[in-house]
Amino acid sequence: MLPAPFEYHAAKSMDEALGLLDTLGEDAKILAGGQSLIPLLKLRFASPAHLVDINGIKELDFIEEGDGTLRIGPLFRHKAAERSSLLASRYHVMADAAPQIADPIIRNRGTIAGSVAHADPSGDWGTVLLALDAELVLRSKSGSRTVKARDFFSGPFSTVLEPTEVLSEIRIPAARPQTGGAYLKLERKVGDFATVAVAVHLQMDGGKVGSAGIGLTAVGPQNIKAEQAEAALRGARLDDATIKEAAALAADAAEPKADHRGSVEYKRNVVRVFTERGLKRAYERARGGG
Amino acid sequence: MPIADRVAVRLRVNGEEVAVMVPPYKTLLEVLREDLGLTGTKHGCELGECSTCGVLVDGRPYLSCLAMPLDLEGREITTVEGMADGSEPDPLQVAFAELGAAQCGYCTPAMLLTARALLDHDPHPTRDAIKEALSGVLCRCTGYLKIFEAVELAASRGRRHG
Ligand SMILES: Cc1cc2nc3c(=O)[nH]c(=O)nc-3n(C[C@H](O)[C@H](O)[C@H](O)COP(=O)(O)OP(=O)(O)OC[C@H]3O[C@@H](n4cnc5c(N)ncnc54)[C@H](O)[C@@H]3O)c2cc1C
Ligand code: FES
Ligand code: FES
């Protein structure tokens, strides 16, 4: 099985990659880990005339925390996220999600940015970034713009990225003390995409919720941010009644479709149960526990 | 659609420098099998699902069906043909043969290489670590148990030269 013929460009710098995209426009695609793009090319769902490989631009592989922001580069791979002690200590929702993406071999290669740009409604990282209230920096030859994760996705496998733009950086508000998160994923077997998954990120403020982020995977045309559930949590004490209410609101925000993985009712109920469990786990972690 | 010309690719495979002229849209899997004659690497799904095409790149498992050769210039690629040291098989190969951890053998090259990467990084892995490391490589014959046991046997014997 071979992709349709394309011309291959190994970009040596971001400027070179942006220049190529600027000239080639819709005829070109960025190649990052290739773990989603190459299957699409082989199935001929996409047949760009040019691939712009960014793997040779080593400085795009970074994770840095400073000035109130965690910044992640386009070549930061799933495996690096899985092994990151920074993420394990303070960005629990990311640390939880990383080892649940695909299988270990694919994780050696695939990137967080590529996953987000691919915008699979069953992909995990978009949901995580929605819960974390991340911003995405989109760069082109003529400049750059920053969009909120919630404004980035525009449907199944579609985003606001222009053909001339590269997702050049993911920006996440730095975790402050009293932060906790969790990612719960239901899959049929190791390496499978989610039947349902829920991302939770909590910032406690004394005994109350300062802010809460809740994202849902595989229950709609794109990764969903459960904003009503988030609003119900803000400023509240995290007692059982509040958790139940937020979980019910998250379940309402889901728009699942019935398929071989489960019925609509089943998936909605998993969203409810996972939101409850995720909030409890995140709260525990925000208080310094497991 | 342009008719892509063949391009020169220089790879380091099993310790040897090789140069081939290939169309740029061929994945490493086809280049290994068709251009370099290294048919130990198997093609299964060709879409990332089964991992029978697994090889090592700088010691880490990669799916050759989803890797572009031009991206791997200068990297060290190891296929199952490169596991033995001359006529002396890798301890994993010996253990797989002794315990019958290969039946049809289709998954075996990728199992061996993935297990090699694991043992190089963690010489005495737990059963859970073995299961996790091999979890992407599908085997339709063995039920996995003999494979796990063979990895454990090889681990207990240590490295070839060690
Ligand atoms: C068998 C299998 C199982 C999988 N299971 C899961 C799973 O459980 N959960 C999950 O989330 N994912 C899963 N994936 C997908 C995997 O996580 C991919 O690594 C990821 O979706 C794409 O990242 P990539 O770096 O490989 O991107 P690529 O495949 O290189 O690119 C994907 C798309 O994004 C574009 N792109 C890449 N980087 C950029 C950038 N910086 N700027 C602009 N555009 C860019 C490309 O042009 C392309 O359109 C699975 C894949 C396979 C094959
Ligand atoms: S052939 Fe590469 S994963 Fe199946
Ligand atoms: S031995 Fe047949 S697939 Fe594993």
Side-chain angles (χ1 to χ4, degrees):
Chain A
M1 206 186 315
L2 290 175
F6 55 74
E7 219 173 298
Y8 173 98
H9 309 267
K12 293 279 173 282
S13 68
M14 186 63 136
D15 284 343
E16 188 187 348
L18 295 174
L20 283 162
L21 291 184
D22 193 65
T23 318
L24 301 167
E26 304 232 353
D27 288 339
K29 277 263 174 210
I30 294 280
L31 175 69
Q35 307 298 290
S36 293
L37 181 58
I38 296 177
L40 287 186
L41 299 180
K42 289 186 167 184
L43 293 166
R44 309 281 173 119
F45 289 145
S47 43
H50 301 268
L51 281 201
V52 178
D53 185 348
I54 58 171
N55 286 283
I57 316 174
K58 296 299 169 220
E59 61 271 24
L60 301 186
D61 181 3
F62 66 83
I63 183 165
E64 300 167 352
E65 197 186 34
D67 297 330
T69 308
L70 176 72
R71 300 161 58 246
I72 293 177
L75 287 184
F76 189 68
R77 302 188 197 268
H78 307 321
K79 185 64 80 181
E82 188 180 349
R83 294 200 173 142
S84 162
S85 52
L86 170 64
L87 296 184
S89 65
R90 299 167 59 207
Y91 299 87
H92 310 119
V93 61
M94 296 188 78
D96 271 9
Q100 300 189 69
I101 309 285
D103 62 52
I105 308 184
I106 288 173
R107 292 202 293 276
N108 277 338
R109 201 66 191 143
T111 64
I112 297 183
S115 175
V116 177
H118 185 54
D120 185 333
S122 302
D124 297 295
W125 286 119
T127 303
V128 168
L129 296 191
L130 286 169
L132 286 165
D133 221 3
E135 289 181 340
L136 308 173
V137 181
L138 314 184
R139 227 175 115 186
S140 68
K141 193 180 169 198
S142 51
S144 80
R145 58 184 177 132
T146 303
V147 300
K148 287 260 182 203
R150 54 190 268 216
D151 300 323
F152 181 71
F153 300 105
S154 54
F157 303 98
S158 54
T159 72
V160 301
L161 261 175
E162 297 290 338
T164 52
E165 284 176 323
V166 171
L167 168 49
S168 62
E169 192 173 297
I170 296 166
R171 291 186 181 161
I172 293 164
R176 287 180 282 140
Q178 285 198 289
T179 305
Y183 192 71
L184 287 87
K185 177 172 172 177
L186 178 69
E187 50 188 0
R188 294 171 308 169
K189 62 173 180 67
V190 171
D192 194 16
F193 281 94
T195 299
V196 173
V198 174
V200 174
H201 179 68
L202 275 183
Q203 173 67 59
M204 297 302 293
D205 184 3
K208 293 186 175 165
V209 177
S211 64
I214 298 181
L216 314 179
T217 304
V219 287
Q222 62 197 54
N223 293 156
I224 290 172
K225 187 166 170 66
E227 294 186 334
Q228 293 195 354
E230 294 175 348
L233 288 163
R234 213 170 296 131
R237 287 195 181 279
L238 257 195
D239 52 25
D240 283 352
T242 310
I243 290 176
K244 276 204 157 53
E245 185 200 346
L249 287 168
D252 285 346
E255 309 161 31
K257 282 215 164 69
D259 60 15
H260 56 287
R261 287 182 166 88
S263 64
V264 170
E265 297 73 20
Y266 173 68
K267 292 182 181 181
R268 210 185 279 285
N269 201 42
V270 176
V271 171
R272 187 181 61 73
V273 172
F274 276 10
T275 306
E276 281 191 26
R277 286 186 198 161
L279 282 168
K280 287 180 184 161
R281 196 171 296 171
Y283 185 42
E284 190 86 344
R285 288 168 164 173
R287 290 187 302 175
Chain B
M1 189 72 59
I3 305 296
D5 290 330
R6 285 172 182 255
V7 293
V9 185
R10 282 184 170 282
L11 296 173
R12 234 185 118 68
V13 182
N14 300 329
E16 283 174 21
E17 295 284 343
V18 292
V20 283
M21 294 295 292
V22 294
Y25 52 87
K26 265 193 172 184
T27 66
L28 179 64
L29 173 64
E30 290 91 18
V31 172
L32 288 172
R33 290 180 55 89
E34 297 165 12
D35 299 280
L36 298 173
L38 295 171
T39 53
T41 305
K42 301 301 175 214
H43 47 121
C45 66
E46 299 185 45
L47 293 170
E49 306 275 349
C50 71
S51 306
T52 58
C53 64
V55 299
L56 302 185
V57 175
D58 294 338
R60 293 173 76 170
Y62 271 37
L63 301 178
S64 64
C65 75
L66 302 185
M68 303 315 294
L70 279 164
D71 184 29
L72 299 177
E73 289 191 317
R75 316 278 299 270
E76 187 70 51
I77 299 166
T78 310
T79 69
V80 71
E81 288 90 343
M83 280 188 88
D85 184 9
S87 59
E88 193 193 341
D90 187 283
L92 279 160
Q93 292 175 307
V94 176
F96 268 58
E98 282 179 17
L99 295 190
Q103 288 186 23
C104 80
Y106 210 78
C107 68
T108 310
M111 285 288 183
L112 286 167
L113 289 162
T114 310
R116 174 43 58 219
L118 170 69
L119 294 188
D120 283 349
H121 154 89
D122 177 4
H124 299 288
T126 59
R127 176 64 68 94
D128 280 348
I130 298 172
K131 281 188 183 172
E132 163 70 12
L134 300 181
S135 62
V137 192
L138 302 187
C139 175
R140 300 297 78 174
C141 305
T142 62
Y144 299 98
L145 198 57
K146 286 181 189 245
I147 293 173
F148 300 150
E149 288 169 356
V151 175
E152 284 163 352
L153 178 62
S156 74
R157 290 173 176 168
R159 289 289 338 227
R160 184 161 38 211
H161 305 294

